[in-house]
Amino acid sequence: EGIATLTDEIKALKAGIKALDKSVAEATEQRKAENAEYKELMSSNTAAKELILFAKNRLQKFYQPKLYKAPPKTELSAGDRVYENMGGEITTQAPGGIAGTGIQAFVQVASRSGREAPPPPPETAAAYTKKSEESGGVMEMMGLLVADLDKEMTVAETEEKEAQEDYETMMKMSAEKRAQDAKSLTDKEASKAELQASLE
């Protein structure tokens, strides 16, 4: 009777350890997926923010030239200056990214199959005049978009941090439980072996 009870307890412990290992593996996969989603969100939001700020700066060049920030001028090293002064020609790398802005990627893909060409733009009635008062709305809207992106990124960072802490806590607790169950399993197997040896 004691052997049968120990055998049942050993089976239950083995099943518990197996279930625990399975839940740990599932939690790890879920955490990896959440982390990949977080990284993708941060990357796309950062690219969108850079693009909006670049566009806002370009609009300021037109609407509010005093607020426009020109791109930094490249400084030549001492060796390059000597080379250039001696008649050499320095080739500079074209800035990468979208339209030479340095912004790496903000891609949205759509299929054009089955679409007709858009109609020509309508005729304008009068010559273009600068409207600086209306620029404020556009600039404010861009500012709101950037603020929304910042807020979304802050929330995502907080959620990612909390999810990582929860995962680490769960892993620690699972490791402790597994160690306890493994010790208990070893003890029960030893007790069963002793009981069987005493019956022989």
Side-chain angles (χ1 to χ4, degrees):
E1 184 180 318
I3 293 176
T5 305
L6 282 172
T7 303
D8 291 343
E9 289 174 0
I10 289 171
K11 272 187 190 176
L13 279 171
K14 284 183 179 179
I17 289 173
K18 190 175 182 181
L20 183 66
D21 289 346
K22 184 179 178 186
S23 72
V24 165
E26 288 172 357
T28 301
E29 285 303 312
Q30 179 183 352
R31 185 71 201 105
K32 284 180 181 177
E34 288 172 355
N35 187 261
E37 186 179 316
Y38 163 76
K39 287 179 180 175
E40 183 181 332
L41 174 82
M42 294 302 282
S43 174
S44 65
N45 279 3
T46 301
K49 184 178 171 182
E50 286 177 2
L51 193 60
I52 291 169
L53 290 173
F54 177 78
K56 187 175 179 180
N57 190 40
R58 280 287 172 99
L59 286 173
Q60 283 178 333
K61 182 178 182 181
F62 180 74
Y63 288 117
Q64 299 165 330
K66 291 177 185 170
L67 297 176
Y68 172 69
K69 295 176 191 140
K73 294 182 179 178
T74 55
E75 292 264 340
L76 295 178
S77 68
D80 287 345
R81 278 196 301 270
V82 169
Y83 178 72
E84 194 174 60
N85 290 338
M86 299 298 286
E89 196 171 311
I90 306 277
T91 56
T92 56
Q93 272 191 326
I98 301 168
T101 62
I103 297 170
Q104 291 303 315
F106 188 70
V107 181
Q108 189 168 0
V109 181
S111 173
R112 288 198 165 254
S113 61
R115 292 192 201 166
E116 293 181 21
E123 298 274 333
T124 55
Y128 178 76
T129 56
K130 192 172 181 179
K131 297 180 182 179
S132 61
E133 302 84 36
E134 293 178 8
S135 72
V138 173
M139 297 297 189
E140 286 178 30
M141 183 180 72
M142 289 180 146
L144 287 173
L145 288 172
V146 169
D148 286 348
L149 287 170
D150 284 339
K151 185 177 177 184
E152 184 179 12
M153 289 165 69
T154 303
V155 167
E157 284 175 10
T158 304
E159 288 175 353
E160 172 69 12
K161 184 179 176 187
E162 289 174 356
Q164 184 64 30
E165 288 172 358
D166 290 347
Y167 173 74
E168 288 171 2
T169 302
M170 185 226 169
M171 288 296 117
K172 184 178 177 186
M173 290 171 60
S174 296
E176 289 171 2
K177 178 159 177 32
R178 192 177 198 295
Q180 288 173 352
D181 287 354
K183 184 181 183 311
S184 180
L185 179 67
T186 305
D187 292 346
K188 289 189 187 295
E189 285 175 341
S191 297
K192 180 181 172 187
E194 286 175 14
L195 205 58
Q196 285 175 335
S198 68
L199 290 176
E200 290 178 2

